[in-house]
Amino acid sequence: MTIYIDADACPVTRIAERIAKDHGIPVTLLCDTNHLLTSDYSTVRTIGAGADAVDLALINLCRRGDIVITQDYGVAALALGKGAKVIHQSGMRYTDDNIDRLLMERHLAKKARRSGRHHLKGPAKRTEEDDRHFAESFEEMILENISARDDHSTENAPDIN
């Protein structure tokens, strides 16, 4: 299991790294050339600037059983399709049950912005409560992934009786 973070302007990178380090799980931060990231724990992959370059690199790297942190619904949908677990920086989990609705909401919001008649507010300022909620949800996701991996490995273990 690897944790991939869509790290361009991601406010929970350090929280995710701390929790991943506690569990000994490798982390890869992906950013474009417009962002300079450093980490004492994670591997940092700087991807060339370009529309969706980081998103495509992340999707090409992630596999079934990995965890992806992103606020991009499109990236989330593609990662889910590859069998990864996906979480938003708010702590909301993307699932097969909610991703279609989220993509439709994004589409409708974009349509409203383009019409010029609707002025949608941006996200509220991030709070300590937001960070706490993300940390709890992320830790829970990791523990579930570890448990599922352990269950799967014992199912495939040879029967020595």
Side-chain angles (χ1 to χ4, degrees):
M1 169 186 358
T2 300
I3 296 167
Y4 293 100
I5 302 178
D6 185 355
D8 290 340
C10 180
V12 297
T13 299
R14 298 302 173 228
I15 296 168
E17 285 181 313
R18 176 182 47 79
I19 294 169
K21 187 175 183 179
D22 289 347
H23 293 281
I25 301 169
V27 176
T28 299
L29 307 177
L30 290 98
C31 64
D32 66 26
T33 55
N34 295 318
H35 296 86
L36 178 62
L37 294 179
T38 59
S39 174
D40 293 333
Y41 183 72
S42 300
T43 300
V44 177
R45 295 195 55 167
T46 304
I47 310 301
D52 303 322
V54 170
D55 300 344
L56 294 173
L58 188 153
I59 293 305
N60 284 327
L61 288 170
C62 80
R63 303 280 179 258
R64 176 172 301 284
D66 289 337
I67 295 177
V68 173
I69 300 171
T70 185
Q71 64 180 350
D72 185 310
Y73 296 170
V75 171
L78 293 170
L80 285 170
K82 291 189 79 173
K85 303 292 184 198
V86 191
I87 188 169
H88 187 275
Q89 65 194 27
S90 68
M92 173 193 69
R93 292 180 186 208
Y94 298 99
T95 66
D96 291 334
D97 294 332
N98 70 10
I99 195 64
D100 288 338
R101 177 184 51 81
L102 293 168
L103 288 167
M104 181 55 76
E105 288 171 359
R106 179 181 77 167
H107 170 72
L108 294 173
K110 185 175 185 178
K111 210 169 157 181
R113 283 191 305 275
R114 281 187 178 165
S115 75
R117 293 188 300 264
H118 299 279
H119 300 285
L120 303 172
K121 292 183 179 181
K125 185 174 174 158
R126 191 160 187 89
T127 66
E128 286 182 26
E129 175 66 20
D130 295 329
D131 289 345
R132 186 188 62 70
H133 183 259
F134 170 80
E136 288 174 0
S137 188
F138 182 59
E139 176 101 28
E140 186 178 286
M141 180 179 270
I142 286 175
L143 293 173
E144 288 170 7
N145 241 23
I146 290 170
S147 177
R149 183 181 62 191
D150 291 347
D151 290 347
H152 183 70
S153 66
T154 56
E155 286 174 8
N156 295 327
D159 187 10
I160 52 178
N161 290 335

